[in-house]
Amino acid sequence: MDEMRRFRRAAGVWAARGGENGPAAGEARELAAAAGVRTAVLVEGESDLVAVEALARRRGRGLDAEGVAVLPLGGAMSIGRFLAVCGPDGLDVPVAGLCDAGEEHYFRSVLERTGPRSHLTHADMEELGFYVCVADLEDELIRCLGVDTVQEVLDVEGDLRSFRTFQKQPAQRDRGVDRQLHRFMGTHKGRKAQYARALVGRLDLDRVPLPLDKLLAHV
């Protein structure tokens, strides 16, 4: 849905300006209404966006049509600005989210500062709709699929030969294959998003990374 893509861009501009009212806010509000936005899902980056939408499609859901806007933050430190965009003084829509384990403390501190509750536990965050990947989404996908299946996906994507060369690098030789795969996916721009889509496409739908599964169930 073109309106949702345009809204996603406009929301990013609004957030970058601190969630303040002005032309960016007006444009985002208009596009949110046109796209029928009813819920926002805050994720750290483009690969998370791709994974969430890909899994939803595999389960027969169209998030755009449902009014679920998945918004990449461009880094966890932007969550406060995006919460301002989505909150009572902004779009006033329910919010959920997904983050890496390393960013959980930052997400928690912002939710405590902007929400009605303090001293949030991991379970409290999930109750609010925020789920944490261990250690990140790539790690969750590799663990669910297993290294053999992930290497089969690399072969299909035309990257297996490059991966074999990568494995021979001195910095990689003593790492486990799972760690090598994880690092390989971050070596080129766009590769994380490429493999988020490809790996989600190979998931057994009864064996989905729990944070991703819970997030989609929540929204």
Side-chain angles (χ1 to χ4, degrees):
M1 186 182 294
D2 185 58
E3 289 91 349
M4 189 63 81
R5 287 194 295 270
R6 291 172 61 202
F7 164 70
R8 190 178 290 127
R9 288 194 295 269
V13 173
W14 187 7
R17 295 177 182 174
E20 63 184 18
N21 284 316
E27 181 182 7
R29 291 179 194 276
E30 289 178 7
L31 289 168
V37 174
R38 65 169 186 81
T39 301
V41 175
L42 308 182
V43 298
E44 290 190 49
E46 289 292 330
S47 62
D48 305 295
L49 161 66
V50 168
V52 171
E53 292 191 331
L55 182 58
R57 284 193 298 272
R58 287 204 60 200
R59 289 188 162 158
R61 297 180 60 182
L63 296 184
D64 286 4
E66 294 176 19
V68 178
V70 185
L71 303 176
L73 303 177
M77 293 186 70
S78 296
I79 185 175
R81 293 193 292 272
F82 276 86
L83 285 173
V85 163
C86 298
D89 295 328
L91 298 173
D92 196 20
V93 295
V95 181
L98 186 73
C99 70
D100 299 342
E103 309 300 343
E104 180 180 3
H105 69 287
Y106 191 76
F107 268 53
R108 181 188 293 112
S109 67
V110 175
L111 290 168
E112 288 174 343
R113 187 171 68 248
T114 60
R117 299 164 63 180
S118 59
H119 306 294
L120 296 176
T121 66
H122 186 87
D124 291 334
M125 288 181 64
E126 291 199 346
E127 186 178 334
L128 293 172
F130 285 80
Y131 303 93
V132 181
C133 294
V134 181
D136 56 25
L137 187 55
E138 290 77 26
D139 189 62
E140 294 271 8
L141 289 168
I142 292 167
R143 188 164 57 253
C144 277
L145 287 166
V147 297
D148 291 340
T149 299
V150 174
Q151 288 177 92
E152 290 173 8
V153 174
L154 261 65
D155 196 14
V156 171
E157 295 290 313
D159 282 331
L160 187 58
R161 181 177 294 180
S162 295
F163 177 63
R164 294 291 181 239
T165 300
F166 177 80
Q167 286 180 296
K168 296 174 184 176
Q169 294 179 2
Q172 302 302 323
R173 289 174 187 163
D174 293 332
R175 288 183 169 182
V177 178
D178 57 338
R179 295 294 86 203
Q180 292 171 341
L181 287 165
H182 185 278
R183 181 67 189 92
F184 180 75
M185 289 175 191
T187 54
H188 289 294
K189 182 177 175 60
R191 185 173 275 168
K192 281 188 177 183
Q194 172 192 353
Y195 279 99
R197 182 180 294 106
L199 296 178
V200 167
R202 286 293 298 271
L203 283 173
D204 179 340
L205 291 181
D206 292 326
R207 185 174 169 77
V208 170
L210 197 55
L212 198 54
D213 199 33
K214 288 182 174 181
L215 175 66
L216 281 174
H218 182 84
V219 300

mmCIF file of all heavy atoms in Angstrom, residues 113-160:
data_model
loop_
_atom_site.group_PDB
_atom_site.id
_atom_site.type_symbol
_atom_site.label_atom_id
_atom_site.label_comp_id
_atom_site.label_asym_id
_atom_site.label_seq_id
_atom_site.Cartn_x
_atom_site.Cartn_y
_atom_site.Cartn_z
ATOM 1 N N ARG A 113 10.212 6.131 31.505
ATOM 2 C CA ARG A 113 10.176 7.598 31.583
ATOM 3 C C ARG A 113 8.914 8.177 30.950
ATOM 4 O O ARG A 113 8.386 9.193 31.426
ATOM 5 C CB ARG A 113 11.424 8.173 30.897
ATOM 6 C CG ARG A 113 11.578 9.674 31.073
ATOM 7 C CD ARG A 113 12.927 10.149 30.581
ATOM 8 N NE ARG A 113 13.089 10.040 29.142
ATOM 9 C CZ ARG A 113 13.925 9.191 28.539
ATOM 10 N NH1 ARG A 113 14.668 8.375 29.265
ATOM 11 N NH2 ARG A 113 14.024 9.166 27.224
ATOM 12 N N THR A 114 8.415 7.527 29.905
ATOM 13 C CA THR A 114 7.285 8.091 29.159
ATOM 14 C C THR A 114 5.951 7.417 29.471
ATOM 15 O O THR A 114 4.900 7.942 29.106
ATOM 16 C CB THR A 114 7.538 7.978 27.641
ATOM 17 O OG1 THR A 114 7.690 6.593 27.286
ATOM 18 C CG2 THR A 114 8.791 8.741 27.244
ATOM 19 N N GLY A 115 5.993 6.266 30.144
ATOM 20 C CA GLY A 115 4.773 5.525 30.405
ATOM 21 C C GLY A 115 4.277 5.675 31.824
ATOM 22 O O GLY A 115 4.861 6.408 32.634
ATOM 23 N N PRO A 116 3.209 4.966 32.154
ATOM 24 C CA PRO A 116 2.599 5.098 33.483
ATOM 25 C C PRO A 116 3.269 4.261 34.567
ATOM 26 O O PRO A 116 2.911 4.381 35.737
ATOM 27 C CB PRO A 116 1.168 4.598 33.244
ATOM 28 C CG PRO A 116 1.304 3.593 32.141
ATOM 29 C CD PRO A 116 2.414 4.100 31.266
ATOM 30 N N ARG A 117 4.243 3.395 34.168
ATOM 31 C CA ARG A 117 4.831 2.481 35.141
ATOM 32 C C ARG A 117 6.337 2.629 35.184
ATOM 33 O O ARG A 117 6.977 2.937 34.183
ATOM 34 C CB ARG A 117 4.468 1.035 34.778
ATOM 35 C CG ARG A 117 2.971 0.782 34.781
ATOM 36 C CD ARG A 117 2.591 -0.496 34.063
ATOM 37 N NE ARG A 117 3.131 -1.681 34.700
ATOM 38 C CZ ARG A 117 2.916 -2.908 34.234
ATOM 39 N NH1 ARG A 117 2.198 -3.091 33.137
ATOM 40 N NH2 ARG A 117 3.424 -3.946 34.873
ATOM 41 N N SER A 118 6.905 2.391 36.364
ATOM 42 C CA SER A 118 8.362 2.434 36.535
ATOM 43 C C SER A 118 8.853 1.057 36.953
ATOM 44 O O SER A 118 8.058 0.168 37.279
ATOM 45 C CB SER A 118 8.753 3.483 37.575
ATOM 46 O OG SER A 118 8.153 3.183 38.828
ATOM 47 N N HIS A 119 10.187 0.887 36.939
ATOM 48 C CA HIS A 119 10.816 -0.374 37.344
ATOM 49 C C HIS A 119 10.236 -1.568 36.570
ATOM 50 O O HIS A 119 9.814 -2.577 37.144
ATOM 51 C CB HIS A 119 10.669 -0.595 38.853
ATOM 52 C CG HIS A 119 11.169 0.547 39.682
ATOM 53 N ND1 HIS A 119 12.498 0.896 39.724
ATOM 54 C CD2 HIS A 119 10.506 1.423 40.473
ATOM 55 C CE1 HIS A 119 12.649 1.942 40.528
ATOM 56 N NE2 HIS A 119 11.461 2.282 40.981
ATOM 57 N N LEU A 120 10.213 -1.426 35.252
ATOM 58 C CA LEU A 120 9.645 -2.476 34.404
ATOM 59 C C LEU A 120 10.528 -3.714 34.397
ATOM 60 O O LEU A 120 11.749 -3.626 34.255
ATOM 61 C CB LEU A 120 9.489 -1.973 32.963
ATOM 62 C CG LEU A 120 8.514 -0.818 32.724
ATOM 63 C CD1 LEU A 120 8.568 -0.390 31.274
ATOM 64 C CD2 LEU A 120 7.097 -1.211 33.113
ATOM 65 N N THR A 121 9.917 -4.863 34.529
ATOM 66 C CA THR A 121 10.617 -6.129 34.342
ATOM 67 C C THR A 121 10.498 -6.557 32.883
ATOM 68 O O THR A 121 9.761 -5.947 32.092
ATOM 69 C CB THR A 121 9.999 -7.220 35.232
ATOM 70 O OG1 THR A 121 8.650 -7.469 34.780
ATOM 71 C CG2 THR A 121 9.985 -6.800 36.688
ATOM 72 N N HIS A 122 11.204 -7.625 32.541
ATOM 73 C CA HIS A 122 11.093 -8.189 31.193
ATOM 74 C C HIS A 122 9.633 -8.563 30.905
ATOM 75 O O HIS A 122 9.103 -8.284 29.824
ATOM 76 C CB HIS A 122 11.998 -9.424 31.087
ATOM 77 C CG HIS A 122 12.079 -10.015 29.730
ATOM 78 N ND1 HIS A 122 12.989 -9.592 28.782
ATOM 79 C CD2 HIS A 122 11.368 -11.014 29.145
ATOM 80 C CE1 HIS A 122 12.830 -10.307 27.678
ATOM 81 N NE2 HIS A 122 11.850 -11.172 27.873
ATOM 82 N N ALA A 123 8.978 -9.180 31.880
ATOM 83 C CA ALA A 123 7.575 -9.559 31.703
ATOM 84 C C ALA A 123 6.677 -8.333 31.550
ATOM 85 O O ALA A 123 5.714 -8.351 30.764
ATOM 86 C CB ALA A 123 7.112 -10.404 32.890
ATOM 87 N N ASP A 124 6.987 -7.266 32.272
ATOM 88 C CA ASP A 124 6.207 -6.028 32.145
ATOM 89 C C ASP A 124 6.316 -5.466 30.727
ATOM 90 O O ASP A 124 5.316 -4.984 30.164
ATOM 91 C CB ASP A 124 6.711 -4.972 33.129
ATOM 92 C CG ASP A 124 6.422 -5.311 34.585
ATOM 93 O OD1 ASP A 124 5.447 -6.044 34.840
ATOM 94 O OD2 ASP A 124 7.206 -4.859 35.447
ATOM 95 N N MET A 125 7.534 -5.514 30.173
ATOM 96 C CA MET A 125 7.718 -5.008 28.817
ATOM 97 C C MET A 125 6.881 -5.808 27.820
ATOM 98 O O MET A 125 6.262 -5.240 26.917
ATOM 99 C CB MET A 125 9.205 -5.041 28.444
ATOM 100 C CG MET A 125 10.037 -3.995 29.157
ATOM 101 S SD MET A 125 11.776 -4.023 28.674
ATOM 102 C CE MET A 125 11.686 -3.571 26.938
ATOM 103 N N GLU A 126 6.857 -7.121 27.994
ATOM 104 C CA GLU A 126 6.054 -7.940 27.095
ATOM 105 C C GLU A 126 4.569 -7.629 27.250
ATOM 106 O O GLU A 126 3.825 -7.622 26.270
ATOM 107 C CB GLU A 126 6.331 -9.420 27.341
ATOM 108 C CG GLU A 126 7.721 -9.846 26.918
ATOM 109 C CD GLU A 126 7.853 -11.344 26.729
ATOM 110 O OE1 GLU A 126 6.951 -12.091 27.171
ATOM 111 O OE2 GLU A 126 8.864 -11.765 26.121
ATOM 112 N N GLU A 127 4.150 -7.352 28.461
ATOM 113 C CA GLU A 127 2.751 -6.982 28.681
ATOM 114 C C GLU A 127 2.403 -5.702 27.934
ATOM 115 O O GLU A 127 1.277 -5.531 27.451
ATOM 116 C CB GLU A 127 2.492 -6.813 30.179
ATOM 117 C CG GLU A 127 1.038 -6.580 30.535
ATOM 118 C CD GLU A 127 0.815 -6.465 32.033
ATOM 119 O OE1 GLU A 127 1.621 -7.025 32.798
ATOM 120 O OE2 GLU A 127 -0.161 -5.800 32.425
ATOM 121 N N LEU A 128 3.383 -4.814 27.820
ATOM 122 C CA LEU A 128 3.191 -3.569 27.077
ATOM 123 C C LEU A 128 3.322 -3.757 25.571
ATOM 124 O O LEU A 128 3.032 -2.832 24.797
ATOM 125 C CB LEU A 128 4.211 -2.521 27.539
ATOM 126 C CG LEU A 128 4.051 -2.018 28.970
ATOM 127 C CD1 LEU A 128 5.243 -1.150 29.359
ATOM 128 C CD2 LEU A 128 2.741 -1.247 29.128
ATOM 129 N N GLY A 129 3.772 -4.957 25.146
ATOM 130 C CA GLY A 129 3.897 -5.230 23.718
ATOM 131 C C GLY A 129 5.289 -5.079 23.168
ATOM 132 O O GLY A 129 5.469 -5.032 21.948
ATOM 133 N N PHE A 130 6.305 -5.042 24.052
ATOM 134 C CA PHE A 130 7.694 -4.891 23.604
ATOM 135 C C PHE A 130 8.457 -6.188 23.902
ATOM 136 O O PHE A 130 8.512 -6.639 25.044
ATOM 137 C CB PHE A 130 8.356 -3.696 24.291
ATOM 138 C CG PHE A 130 7.894 -2.382 23.733
ATOM 139 C CD1 PHE A 130 6.678 -1.837 24.130
ATOM 140 C CD2 PHE A 130 8.639 -1.715 22.776
ATOM 141 C CE1 PHE A 130 6.226 -0.643 23.591
ATOM 142 C CE2 PHE A 130 8.199 -0.515 22.225
ATOM 143 C CZ PHE A 130 6.984 0.024 22.632
ATOM 144 N N TYR A 131 9.061 -6.736 22.860
ATOM 145 C CA TYR A 131 9.682 -8.059 22.934
ATOM 146 C C TYR A 131 11.166 -7.955 22.583
ATOM 147 O O TYR A 131 11.568 -7.123 21.763
ATOM 148 C CB TYR A 131 8.940 -9.026 22.005
ATOM 149 C CG TYR A 131 7.470 -9.099 22.357
ATOM 150 C CD1 TYR A 131 6.553 -8.266 21.715
ATOM 151 C CD2 TYR A 131 7.015 -9.928 23.368
ATOM 152 C CE1 TYR A 131 5.207 -8.277 22.066
ATOM 153 C CE2 TYR A 131 5.669 -9.955 23.721
ATOM 154 C CZ TYR A 131 4.770 -9.127 23.067
ATOM 155 O OH TYR A 131 3.444 -9.141 23.421
ATOM 156 N N VAL A 132 11.960 -8.826 23.196
ATOM 157 C CA VAL A 132 13.419 -8.725 23.115
ATOM 158 C C VAL A 132 14.002 -9.969 22.461
ATOM 159 O O VAL A 132 13.714 -11.096 22.867
ATOM 160 C CB VAL A 132 14.027 -8.554 24.523
ATOM 161 C CG1 VAL A 132 15.542 -8.422 24.441
ATOM 162 C CG2 VAL A 132 13.416 -7.340 25.227
ATOM 163 N N CYS A 133 14.827 -9.750 21.424
ATOM 164 C CA CYS A 133 15.517 -10.847 20.741
ATOM 165 C C CYS A 133 16.818 -11.167 21.462
ATOM 166 O O CYS A 133 17.513 -10.269 21.944
ATOM 167 C CB CYS A 133 15.848 -10.456 19.300
ATOM 168 S SG CYS A 133 14.416 -10.232 18.242
ATOM 169 N N VAL A 134 17.157 -12.437 21.523
ATOM 170 C CA VAL A 134 18.419 -12.890 22.118
ATOM 171 C C VAL A 134 19.250 -13.558 21.032
ATOM 172 O O VAL A 134 18.858 -14.599 20.515
ATOM 173 C CB VAL A 134 18.150 -13.882 23.271
ATOM 174 C CG1 VAL A 134 19.455 -14.331 23.901
ATOM 175 C CG2 VAL A 134 17.229 -13.274 24.325
ATOM 176 N N ALA A 135 20.397 -12.981 20.655
ATOM 177 C CA ALA A 135 20.874 -11.664 21.021
ATOM 178 C C ALA A 135 20.264 -10.601 20.105
ATOM 179 O O ALA A 135 20.035 -9.450 20.480
ATOM 180 C CB ALA A 135 22.390 -11.620 20.895
ATOM 181 N N ASP A 136 19.973 -10.986 18.869
ATOM 182 C CA ASP A 136 19.273 -10.117 17.935
ATOM 183 C C ASP A 136 18.446 -11.004 17.005
ATOM 184 O O ASP A 136 18.426 -12.228 17.153
ATOM 185 C CB ASP A 136 20.246 -9.213 17.163
ATOM 186 C CG ASP A 136 21.331 -9.986 16.423
ATOM 187 O OD1 ASP A 136 21.110 -11.174 16.086
ATOM 188 O OD2 ASP A 136 22.411 -9.419 16.181
ATOM 189 N N LEU A 137 17.758 -10.396 16.047
ATOM 190 C CA LEU A 137 16.852 -11.174 15.208
ATOM 191 C C LEU A 137 17.605 -12.176 14.336
ATOM 192 O O LEU A 137 17.139 -13.310 14.139
ATOM 193 C CB LEU A 137 16.014 -10.242 14.329
ATOM 194 C CG LEU A 137 14.908 -10.909 13.516
ATOM 195 C CD1 LEU A 137 13.976 -11.715 14.408
ATOM 196 C CD2 LEU A 137 14.117 -9.882 12.730
ATOM 197 N N GLU A 138 18.777 -11.790 13.817
ATOM 198 C CA GLU A 138 19.565 -12.732 13.008
ATOM 199 C C GLU A 138 19.934 -13.955 13.829
ATOM 200 O O GLU A 138 19.849 -15.092 13.356
ATOM 201 C CB GLU A 138 20.822 -12.050 12.466
ATOM 202 C CG GLU A 138 20.559 -10.993 11.398
ATOM 203 C CD GLU A 138 20.057 -9.685 11.977
ATOM 204 O OE1 GLU A 138 20.352 -9.390 13.146
ATOM 205 O OE2 GLU A 138 19.351 -8.956 11.251
ATOM 206 N N ASP A 139 20.338 -13.725 15.067
ATOM 207 C CA ASP A 139 20.697 -14.830 15.951
ATOM 208 C C ASP A 139 19.491 -15.742 16.200
ATOM 209 O O ASP A 139 19.619 -16.970 16.183
ATOM 210 C CB ASP A 139 21.221 -14.266 17.278
ATOM 211 C CG ASP A 139 21.810 -15.335 18.171
ATOM 212 O OD1 ASP A 139 22.795 -15.958 17.754
ATOM 213 O OD2 ASP A 139 21.285 -15.539 19.281
ATOM 214 N N GLU A 140 18.341 -15.151 16.407
ATOM 215 C CA GLU A 140 17.118 -15.933 16.625
ATOM 216 C C GLU A 140 16.803 -16.793 15.398
ATOM 217 O O GLU A 140 16.443 -17.976 15.529
ATOM 218 C CB GLU A 140 15.938 -14.993 16.914
ATOM 219 C CG GLU A 140 16.030 -14.220 18.210
ATOM 220 C CD GLU A 140 15.418 -14.964 19.389
ATOM 221 O OE1 GLU A 140 15.049 -16.144 19.229
ATOM 222 O OE2 GLU A 140 15.313 -14.359 20.469
ATOM 223 N N LEU A 141 16.925 -16.224 14.219
ATOM 224 C CA LEU A 141 16.599 -16.959 12.992
ATOM 225 C C LEU A 141 17.590 -18.088 12.741
ATOM 226 O O LEU A 141 17.196 -19.201 12.365
ATOM 227 C CB LEU A 141 16.567 -15.997 11.797
ATOM 228 C CG LEU A 141 15.392 -15.014 11.767
ATOM 229 C CD1 LEU A 141 15.622 -13.941 10.714
ATOM 230 C CD2 LEU A 141 14.074 -15.751 11.507
ATOM 231 N N ILE A 142 18.869 -17.815 12.957
ATOM 232 C CA ILE A 142 19.892 -18.860 12.769
ATOM 233 C C ILE A 142 19.655 -20.005 13.735
ATOM 234 O O ILE A 142 19.738 -21.181 13.368
ATOM 235 C CB ILE A 142 21.308 -18.264 12.938
ATOM 236 C CG1 ILE A 142 21.625 -17.304 11.793
ATOM 237 C CG2 ILE A 142 22.366 -19.377 12.998
ATOM 238 C CD1 ILE A 142 22.861 -16.449 12.033
ATOM 239 N N ARG A 143 19.329 -19.692 14.965
ATOM 240 C CA ARG A 143 19.100 -20.724 15.972
ATOM 241 C C ARG A 143 17.866 -21.561 15.642
ATOM 242 O O ARG A 143 17.870 -22.784 15.798
ATOM 243 C CB ARG A 143 18.969 -20.075 17.349
ATOM 244 C CG ARG A 143 18.931 -21.058 18.496
ATOM 245 C CD ARG A 143 19.180 -20.396 19.834
ATOM 246 N NE ARG A 143 18.254 -19.317 20.126
ATOM 247 C CZ ARG A 143 18.576 -18.023 20.104
ATOM 248 N NH1 ARG A 143 19.807 -17.644 19.788
ATOM 249 N NH2 ARG A 143 17.680 -17.109 20.391
ATOM 250 N N CYS A 144 16.799 -20.919 15.180
ATOM 251 C CA CYS A 144 15.571 -21.654 14.849
ATOM 252 C C CYS A 144 15.764 -22.572 13.640
ATOM 253 O O CYS A 144 15.249 -23.694 13.614
ATOM 254 C CB CYS A 144 14.435 -20.679 14.571
ATOM 255 S SG CYS A 144 13.610 -20.079 16.065
ATOM 256 N N LEU A 145 16.491 -22.097 12.640
ATOM 257 C CA LEU A 145 16.661 -22.864 11.410
ATOM 258 C C LEU A 145 17.780 -23.886 11.497
ATOM 259 O O LEU A 145 17.717 -24.946 10.863
ATOM 260 C CB LEU A 145 16.920 -21.913 10.236
ATOM 261 C CG LEU A 145 15.715 -21.105 9.755
ATOM 262 C CD1 LEU A 145 16.170 -19.978 8.841
ATOM 263 C CD2 LEU A 145 14.716 -21.994 9.043
ATOM 264 N N GLY A 146 18.832 -23.574 12.252
ATOM 265 C CA GLY A 146 20.015 -24.420 12.286
ATOM 266 C C GLY A 146 20.996 -24.011 11.198
ATOM 267 O O GLY A 146 20.607 -23.525 10.130
ATOM 268 N N VAL A 147 22.291 -24.217 11.461
ATOM 269 C CA VAL A 147 23.320 -23.715 10.542
ATOM 270 C C VAL A 147 23.279 -24.405 9.181
ATOM 271 O O VAL A 147 23.621 -23.795 8.163
ATOM 272 C CB VAL A 147 24.728 -23.826 11.172
ATOM 273 C CG1 VAL A 147 24.827 -22.944 12.411
ATOM 274 C CG2 VAL A 147 25.085 -25.269 11.506
ATOM 275 N N ASP A 148 22.880 -25.663 9.131
ATOM 276 C CA ASP A 148 22.834 -26.361 7.839
ATOM 277 C C ASP A 148 21.782 -25.739 6.928
ATOM 278 O O ASP A 148 22.039 -25.492 5.740
ATOM 279 C CB ASP A 148 22.541 -27.850 8.040
ATOM 280 C CG ASP A 148 23.681 -28.595 8.704
ATOM 281 O OD1 ASP A 148 24.825 -28.084 8.672
ATOM 282 O OD2 ASP A 148 23.431 -29.677 9.260
ATOM 283 N N THR A 149 20.601 -25.471 7.467
ATOM 284 C CA THR A 149 19.541 -24.860 6.663
ATOM 285 C C THR A 149 19.918 -23.451 6.242
ATOM 286 O O THR A 149 19.665 -23.039 5.104
ATOM 287 C CB THR A 149 18.218 -24.845 7.444
ATOM 288 O OG1 THR A 149 17.830 -26.189 7.737
ATOM 289 C CG2 THR A 149 17.113 -24.179 6.636
ATOM 290 N N VAL A 150 20.539 -22.699 7.143
ATOM 291 C CA VAL A 150 20.944 -21.337 6.800
ATOM 292 C C VAL A 150 21.954 -21.359 5.652
ATOM 293 O O VAL A 150 21.886 -20.539 4.725
ATOM 294 C CB VAL A 150 21.513 -20.600 8.022
ATOM 295 C CG1 VAL A 150 22.062 -19.224 7.621
ATOM 296 C CG2 VAL A 150 20.437 -20.437 9.095
ATOM 297 N N GLN A 151 22.878 -22.319 5.673
ATOM 298 C CA GLN A 151 23.844 -22.409 4.571
ATOM 299 C C GLN A 151 23.159 -22.831 3.269
ATOM 300 O O GLN A 151 23.565 -22.404 2.183
ATOM 301 C CB GLN A 151 24.958 -23.382 4.948
ATOM 302 C CG GLN A 151 25.888 -22.802 6.012
ATOM 303 C CD GLN A 151 26.961 -23.768 6.456
ATOM 304 O OE1 GLN A 151 28.073 -23.776 5.908
ATOM 305 N NE2 GLN A 151 26.644 -24.603 7.442
ATOM 306 N N GLU A 152 22.107 -23.621 3.351
ATOM 307 C CA GLU A 152 21.325 -23.937 2.157
ATOM 308 C C GLU A 152 20.692 -22.666 1.583
ATOM 309 O O GLU A 152 20.650 -22.476 0.366
ATOM 310 C CB GLU A 152 20.227 -24.947 2.488
ATOM 311 C CG GLU A 152 20.733 -26.351 2.791
ATOM 312 C CD GLU A 152 19.617 -27.273 3.273
ATOM 313 O OE1 GLU A 152 18.429 -26.852 3.212
ATOM 314 O OE2 GLU A 152 19.926 -28.387 3.717
ATOM 315 N N VAL A 153 20.215 -21.808 2.469
ATOM 316 C CA VAL A 153 19.637 -20.534 2.023
ATOM 317 C C VAL A 153 20.704 -19.669 1.370
ATOM 318 O O VAL A 153 20.465 -19.035 0.332
ATOM 319 C CB VAL A 153 18.972 -19.798 3.202
ATOM 320 C CG1 VAL A 153 18.503 -18.408 2.782
ATOM 321 C CG2 VAL A 153 17.796 -20.605 3.751
ATOM 322 N N LEU A 154 21.915 -19.635 1.945
ATOM 323 C CA LEU A 154 23.007 -18.883 1.326
ATOM 324 C C LEU A 154 23.283 -19.394 -0.076
ATOM 325 O O LEU A 154 23.548 -18.599 -0.997
ATOM 326 C CB LEU A 154 24.278 -18.998 2.183
ATOM 327 C CG LEU A 154 24.603 -17.826 3.114
ATOM 328 C CD1 LEU A 154 23.545 -17.667 4.199
ATOM 329 C CD2 LEU A 154 25.974 -18.002 3.741
ATOM 330 N N ASP A 155 23.223 -20.697 -0.254
ATOM 331 C CA ASP A 155 23.458 -21.287 -1.569
ATOM 332 C C ASP A 155 22.404 -20.821 -2.558
ATOM 333 O O ASP A 155 22.715 -20.405 -3.685
ATOM 334 C CB ASP A 155 23.452 -22.816 -1.446
ATOM 335 C CG ASP A 155 24.055 -23.507 -2.657
ATOM 336 O OD1 ASP A 155 24.725 -22.827 -3.484
ATOM 337 O OD2 ASP A 155 23.870 -24.725 -2.783
ATOM 338 N N VAL A 156 21.148 -20.859 -2.138
ATOM 339 C CA VAL A 156 20.053 -20.408 -3.004
ATOM 340 C C VAL A 156 20.215 -18.935 -3.361
ATOM 341 O O VAL A 156 19.954 -18.523 -4.500
ATOM 342 C CB VAL A 156 18.694 -20.641 -2.306
ATOM 343 C CG1 VAL A 156 17.562 -19.978 -3.086
ATOM 344 C CG2 VAL A 156 18.415 -22.135 -2.157
ATOM 345 N N GLU A 157 20.693 -18.141 -2.407
ATOM 346 C CA GLU A 157 20.859 -16.704 -2.628
ATOM 347 C C GLU A 157 22.142 -16.369 -3.385
ATOM 348 O O GLU A 157 22.406 -15.200 -3.685
ATOM 349 C CB GLU A 157 20.854 -15.966 -1.292
ATOM 350 C CG GLU A 157 19.543 -16.048 -0.536
ATOM 351 C CD GLU A 157 18.435 -15.260 -1.211
ATOM 352 O OE1 GLU A 157 18.681 -14.104 -1.586
ATOM 353 O OE2 GLU A 157 17.322 -15.806 -1.363
ATOM 354 N N GLY A 158 22.954 -17.382 -3.681
ATOM 355 C CA GLY A 158 24.174 -17.159 -4.439
ATOM 356 C C GLY A 158 25.356 -16.669 -3.633
ATOM 357 O O GLY A 158 26.334 -16.162 -4.204
ATOM 358 N N ASP A 159 25.312 -16.842 -2.304
ATOM 359 C CA ASP A 159 26.361 -16.311 -1.438
ATOM 360 C C ASP A 159 27.202 -17.387 -0.759
ATOM 361 O O ASP A 159 28.089 -17.055 0.041
ATOM 362 C CB ASP A 159 25.736 -15.437 -0.334
ATOM 363 C CG ASP A 159 25.354 -14.057 -0.828
ATOM 364 O OD1 ASP A 159 26.009 -13.560 -1.762
ATOM 365 O OD2 ASP A 159 24.412 -13.483 -0.262
ATOM 366 N N LEU A 160 26.970 -18.655 -1.066
ATOM 367 C CA LEU A 160 27.687 -19.698 -0.328
ATOM 368 C C LEU A 160 29.184 -19.660 -0.609
ATOM 369 O O LEU A 160 29.998 -19.828 0.315
ATOM 370 C CB LEU A 160 27.120 -21.080 -0.658
ATOM 371 C CG LEU A 160 27.673 -22.238 0.192
ATOM 372 C CD1 LEU A 160 27.414 -21.997 1.672
ATOM 373 C CD2 LEU A 160 27.058 -23.562 -0.251
#
